Amino acid sequence: MKNGIAECSVCHSKLLPPGSKTISRAYDDHKIRVSSKQRVLNVLLVVGDCMLVGLQPVLVYMSKVDGKFNFSPISVNFLTEIAKVIFAIVMLLLQARNQKVREKPLLSISTFVQAARNNVLLAVPALLYAINNYLKFTMQLYFNPATVKMLSNLKVLVIAVLLKMIMKRRFSIIQWEALALLLIGISVNQLRSLPEGATAIGIPLATGAYVCTVIFVTVPSMASVFNEYALKSQYDTSIYLQNLFLYGYGAIFNFLGILGTVIYKGPGSFDILQGHSRATMFLILNNAAQGILSSFFFKYADTILKKYSSTVATIFTGIASAALFGHVITMNFLLGISIVFISMHQFFSPLAKVKDEQQQNGNLELSNAKDTHRANDSFINMAAGANEEASHRGESDDRTPLLPR
């Protein structure tokens, strides 16, 4: 090799060593192969999330007796966190059992203490989730199940703002317009959805509903963003170990809520199983499965994708509430769902990418095209050179005089 140029010992061809563009293309091809697996995971997450999230308001509605809850919503949330803690422990034991010899043991005290210190930020989303889970029951007193799901989609805009502020995530103008379309779709669905003259907790229904809606949208949005940030900031930590901390904090906060209820209402309210039915048991299992699935969304996918999948679940909720409880699917609901689907398609469209990503992809394609063109030119030049050399040899042979014998 001379001056960075390799020469073939047989044909003496000049060969350039692989440059940064070649390595970059190989890395991009690797990312494409990995992203295809990621897309499969995203599809499975969305399908599972649609089923669980869409079924939750229906189960909550079925748990009501004469429009009220005979059980404490905090007890449901506490039992849900306990179920998730048990699941995290079982999965952590299975993961530790399948560990390789050279890997750091998951069940050692040093690993557990170090992971607990590194993931202490999970206490913040755990507290916010404890507040949000109670608000889910309160919202059922104001709206039907399909309306609750449509209102929850307002979280997407708040989450986008928080992602931009906390995680420095960038969105294109088309994506912001898609989020605006989402709000329009929700507003169309909400036209004339509140019964006139109804009241709750001593204040007009519209005022109580809007106050709960603001809290219902802001608190879980902050919880989702902080949860994604906490999980991804410690990406090397086992997700089951992180879930154990998250659900453990959640169980503690909900238990403190139960103690507060006991202080306020008396010792009789300490029975966490009081007023529960078969519907509430299914609700606890559904909430636990939904929380476990959400952790995979936040660590391996994206918060925006999680909320858009919850939007798709609105269709299932609307159809189920109409079939089971006789709720009427209005034209406003159908129009709102249509606008939401347009918003979702626009947000995830390749044309909605940030300009830097488009420019990077364009440069990669242009680099591939240039390298292909150079290879073709090199091959043409080599062929032309071979033909020219052959013609020169032919001419020299013709001009050489014959030697006498």
Side-chain angles (χ1 to χ4, degrees):
M1 180 180 293
K2 297 180 180 180
N3 299 326
I5 299 178
E7 181 177 353
C8 180
S9 60
V10 179
C11 62
H12 302 287
S13 301
K14 306 295 183 179
L15 301 175
L16 294 175
S20 59
K21 292 183 179 180
T22 306
I23 299 174
S24 176
R25 286 199 304 272
Y27 176 71
D28 292 329
D29 293 339
H30 173 70
K31 287 202 303 182
I32 292 175
R33 289 194 297 270
V34 173
S35 63
S36 63
K37 298 179 181 179
Q38 184 69 30
R39 284 193 293 269
V40 174
L41 176 62
N42 292 343
V43 171
L44 295 177
L45 290 175
V46 169
V47 172
D49 188 66
C50 289
M51 296 176 60
L52 297 174
V53 176
L55 188 60
Q56 182 189 29
V58 177
L59 292 175
V60 172
Y61 190 84
M62 292 175 61
S63 302
K64 291 191 295 185
V65 178
D66 297 330
K68 298 180 180 179
F69 299 115
N70 291 335
F71 58 90
S72 173
I74 301 179
S75 66
V76 173
N77 299 332
F78 175 74
L79 294 175
T80 300
E81 297 300 327
I82 293 298
K84 291 190 291 186
V85 167
I86 295 175
F87 175 84
I89 293 175
V90 172
M91 295 304 298
L92 190 61
L93 292 175
L94 293 177
Q95 186 179 13
R97 185 178 180 181
N98 296 327
Q99 271 190 304
K100 298 180 180 179
V101 178
R102 297 181 178 179
E103 293 180 351
K104 190 176 182 180
L106 290 173
L107 301 181
S108 65
I109 298 178
S110 59
T111 301
F112 185 85
V113 173
Q114 184 65 32
R117 293 176 179 176
N118 296 337
N119 292 274
V120 68
L121 185 60
L122 290 172
V124 177
L127 175 61
L128 296 176
Y129 279 134
I131 299 173
N132 174 65
N133 292 334
Y134 178 77
L135 290 176
K136 289 180 180 180
F137 291 94
T138 306
M139 292 294 291
Q140 296 290 335
L141 300 176
Y142 295 110
F143 306 105
N144 58 52
T147 305
V148 170
K149 285 313 307 164
M150 289 300 293
L151 278 177
S152 66
N153 295 328
L154 285 167
K155 304 171 188 176
V156 177
L157 181 60
V158 181
I159 287 174
V161 175
L162 292 175
L163 287 174
K164 183 176 179 62
M165 295 173 58
I166 297 176
M167 301 187 69
K168 307 302 180 182
R169 190 164 299 175
R170 301 177 62 187
F171 300 99
S172 65
I173 297 179
I174 297 179
Q175 288 176 324
W176 285 113
E177 291 174 350
L179 296 177
L181 276 180
L182 178 62
L183 296 180
I184 294 174
I186 296 172
S187 301
V188 170
N189 177 70
Q190 285 302 301
L191 294 177
R192 298 181 182 180
S193 63
L194 298 178
E196 298 180 359
T199 59
I201 60 177
I203 58 176
L205 177 59
T207 304
Y210 287 129
V211 170
C212 285
T213 299
V214 172
I215 302 176
F216 181 67
V217 168
T218 305
V219 171
S221 300
M222 296 176 61
S224 299
V225 174
F226 276 110
N227 195 8
E228 180 179 351
Y229 178 81
L231 290 175
K232 290 183 177 178
S233 62
Q234 301 295 325
Y235 198 84
D236 293 335
T237 305
S238 169
I239 186 173
Y240 302 115
L241 190 57
Q242 289 179 311
N243 285 344
L244 180 60
F245 298 137
L246 177 63
Y247 305 149
Y249 288 133
I252 293 174
F253 290 134
N254 281 282
F255 184 74
L256 293 177
I258 293 176
L259 293 180
T261 305
V262 171
I263 296 174
Y264 180 75
K265 294 184 178 181
S269 60
F270 188 73
D271 187 7
I272 60 177
L273 298 179
Q274 182 180 1
H276 287 277
S277 61
R278 184 179 300 178
T280 59
M281 293 296 105
F282 281 110
L283 178 62
I284 291 172
L285 295 177
N286 180 274
N287 289 348
Q290 181 183 339
I292 294 169
L293 193 66
S294 297
S295 64
F296 285 88
F297 259 106
F298 296 137
K299 185 161 185 174
Y300 300 114
D302 186 76
T303 307
I304 296 292
L305 179 63
K306 169 69 175 69
K307 295 309 173 185
Y308 264 111
S309 69
S310 300
T311 306
V312 179
T314 307
I315 299 178
F316 176 79
T317 304
I319 297 175
S321 60
L324 297 176
F325 313 121
H327 293 154
V328 179
I329 298 180
T330 62
M331 182 59 67
N332 293 338
F333 177 77
L334 297 178
L335 291 176
I337 285 295
S338 301
I339 298 176
V340 166
F341 268 107
I342 295 174
S343 168
M344 183 169 58
H345 177 267
Q346 181 175 343
F347 187 89
F348 294 103
S349 172
L351 298 177
K353 291 182 180 180
V354 182
K355 290 184 178 180
D356 291 346
E357 297 180 0
Q358 289 182 344
Q359 185 176 3
Q360 183 179 2
N361 295 335
N363 291 339
L364 179 61
E365 294 177 359
L366 182 59
S367 175
N368 292 335
K370 287 182 177 180
D371 291 342
T372 303
H373 182 66
R374 289 173 181 174
N376 293 335
D377 289 344
S378 177
F379 176 77
I380 293 174
N381 293 335
M382 289 173 60
N387 292 333
E388 183 177 359
E389 184 179 356
S391 62
H392 284 313
R393 288 181 178 178
E395 291 177 359
S396 62
D397 292 340
D398 293 338
R399 294 175 182 176
T400 302
L402 294 176
L403 297 177
R405 297 181 180 178

Coordinates of all heavy atoms in Angstrom, one line a residue, residues 4 15 44-45 113 124 209 213 338 341 348 382:
G4 N -1.9 5.4 0.9 CA -3.2 5.0 1.2 C -3.9 4.3 0.1 O -5.1 4.1 0.1
L15 N -6.8 0.2 -5.8 CA -7.9 0.0 -4.9 C -7.8 1.0 -3.8 O -6.8 1.2 -3.1 CB -8.0 -1.4 -4.3 CG -8.1 -2.5 -5.3 CD1 -8.1 -3.9 -4.6 CD2 -9.4 -2.4 -6.2
L44 N -46.9 -4.8 18.0 CA -47.4 -5.7 19.1 C -47.8 -4.8 20.3 O -48.8 -5.1 21.0 CB -46.3 -6.7 19.5 CG -46.0 -7.7 18.4 CD1 -44.9 -8.7 18.9 CD2 -47.2 -8.5 18.0
L45 N -47.0 -3.8 20.6 CA -47.3 -2.9 21.8 C -48.6 -2.2 21.5 O -49.4 -2.0 22.4 CB -46.1 -2.0 22.0 CG -44.8 -2.6 22.6 CD1 -43.8 -1.5 22.7 CD2 -45.1 -3.2 24.0
V113 N -28.9 -2.4 45.5 CA -28.7 -1.1 46.1 C -28.3 -0.1 45.1 O -28.8 1.1 45.1 CB -27.7 -1.2 47.3 CG1 -27.4 0.2 47.8 CG2 -28.3 -2.1 48.4
V124 N -40.9 9.9 41.2 CA -41.7 11.1 40.7 C -42.9 10.6 39.9 O -44.0 10.9 40.2 CB -40.8 12.0 40.0 CG1 -41.6 13.2 39.4 CG2 -39.7 12.6 40.9
A209 N -66.2 19.5 35.5 CA -65.6 18.7 34.5 C -64.3 19.3 33.9 O -63.3 18.6 33.7 CB -66.6 18.5 33.4
T213 N -60.6 17.8 34.1 CA -60.0 17.6 32.8 C -58.6 18.2 32.8 O -57.6 17.5 32.3 CB -60.8 18.2 31.6 OG1 -62.1 17.6 31.6 CG2 -60.1 17.9 30.3
S338 N -62.5 10.3 12.8 CA -61.9 10.4 11.5 C -60.7 11.4 11.5 O -59.7 11.2 10.9 CB -63.0 10.8 10.5 OG -64.0 9.9 10.4
F341 N -57.6 10.0 13.2 CA -56.9 9.1 12.3 C -56.1 9.9 11.3 O -54.9 9.5 11.0 CB -57.8 8.1 11.6 CG -58.0 6.9 12.3 CD1 -59.2 6.6 13.0 CD2 -57.0 5.9 12.4 CE1 -59.4 5.4 13.7 CE2 -57.1 4.7 13.1 CZ -58.3 4.5 13.8
F348 N -47.0 10.6 11.8 CA -46.0 9.6 11.6 C -45.6 9.4 10.1 O -44.9 8.5 9.7 CB -46.5 8.2 12.1 CG -46.6 8.2 13.6 CD1 -47.9 8.3 14.2 CD2 -45.5 8.1 14.4 CE1 -48.0 8.3 15.6 CE2 -45.6 8.1 15.8 CZ -46.9 8.1 16.4
M382 N -11.8 1.9 -17.1 CA -10.9 0.7 -17.1 C -11.1 0.0 -18.5 O -10.2 -0.5 -19.1 CB -11.2 -0.2 -16.0 CG -10.8 0.3 -14.6 SD -11.3 -0.8 -13.3 CE -10.5 -2.3 -13.7

